[in-house]
Amino acid sequence: MAHIVLTQADITRALTRISHEILESNRGPDNLVILGIPTRGVILARRIAEIIQRIEPAATAVRVGSLDVTLYRDDLAHGRTRTPSRTQMPGSVNGATVVLVDDVLYSGRTIRSALDALGDHGRPTIVRLAVLVDRGHRELPIRADFVGRNLPTATDERINVHLEEIDGDEFVSIDGRSNR
């Protein structure tokens, strides 16, 4: 049975906090590129860019795009994968501060793929990672710089992120809780 752990209001607060943290660590919005990892990471990246623009209205538009990592995954031969989507770079990333955005950080393999994909598009000065949910269970030495919520899980549990733009409703739930 699914257990809701973040409501729409919780998600909004988390993204607002992440946006402030990104601005603080970058010392403002200059030279910032925000790239979402499909599918839900792209929506979250757009929301973060909109929040940053509201916080810093006098700044130039925050560059936001998407980075598809499907063909960079190291598990392509091991099972089902989603259909690749289009990478949309908002200009050059050379010398920029790039913030990769994803919905859930788990093993770290998607982020490793994102770093490989990003390298094919240029050489940022620095790469940061923002995630809505960090559920633990890393298989690679990767950690998020900006986290909406840490949700320790069992490996047999699943985090479900629902966003209005895709799912028609908005919440984060955990499925698979058997003995809690």
Side-chain angles (χ1 to χ4, degrees):
M1 178 167 177
H3 172 71
I4 293 177
V5 291
L6 293 174
T7 64
Q8 184 173 21
D10 296 328
I11 293 169
T12 299
R13 276 191 298 276
L15 293 178
T16 300
R17 182 174 34 78
I18 287 170
S19 299
H20 279 279
E21 290 172 356
I22 290 169
L23 283 170
E24 288 173 13
S25 75
N26 195 54
R27 294 188 174 101
D30 295 338
N31 209 24
L32 187 61
V33 176
I34 301 174
L35 297 175
I37 298 171
T39 298
R40 286 165 179 80
V42 174
I43 292 166
L44 297 173
R46 286 183 192 137
R47 289 187 190 180
I48 288 169
E50 289 168 5
I51 294 167
I52 288 173
Q53 201 66 57
R54 283 196 306 266
I55 297 167
E56 298 275 347
T60 58
V62 176
R63 295 186 292 159
V64 63
S66 64
L67 181 66
D68 185 74
V69 303
T70 305
L71 298 179
Y72 293 85
R73 295 191 61 88
D74 63 2
D75 57 359
L76 284 174
H78 293 58
R80 245 179 48 216
T81 188
R82 63 176 191 73
T83 304
S85 57
R86 192 166 167 230
T87 290
Q88 297 177 324
M89 282 290 158
S92 174
V93 296
N94 289 326
T97 297
V98 173
V99 179
L100 298 172
V101 180
D102 206 3
D103 56 350
V104 178
L105 178 57
Y106 182 35
S107 67
R109 293 189 178 278
T110 298
I111 304 309
R112 188 217 40 90
S113 302
L115 293 169
D116 288 347
L118 182 60
D120 282 351
H121 292 279
R123 190 172 190 277
T125 298
I126 193 163
V127 179
R128 302 275 191 219
L129 175 60
V131 297
L132 180 60
V133 174
D134 184 344
R135 65 171 290 185
H137 304 286
R138 220 71 78 239
E139 296 172 3
L140 298 170
I142 290 174
R143 70 167 182 81
D145 299 283
F146 315 107
V147 178
R149 178 75 60 91
N150 285 295
L151 291 174
T153 61
T155 55
D156 63 344
E157 292 176 318
R158 179 174 172 80
I159 300 285
N160 301 301
V161 176
H162 286 243
L163 298 176
E164 186 71 40
E165 296 90 334
I166 296 173
D167 306 297
D169 52 7
E170 188 139 15
F171 61 88
V172 175
S173 66
I174 298 179
D175 265 341
R177 292 180 159 205
S178 50
N179 297 322
R180 290 189 186 187

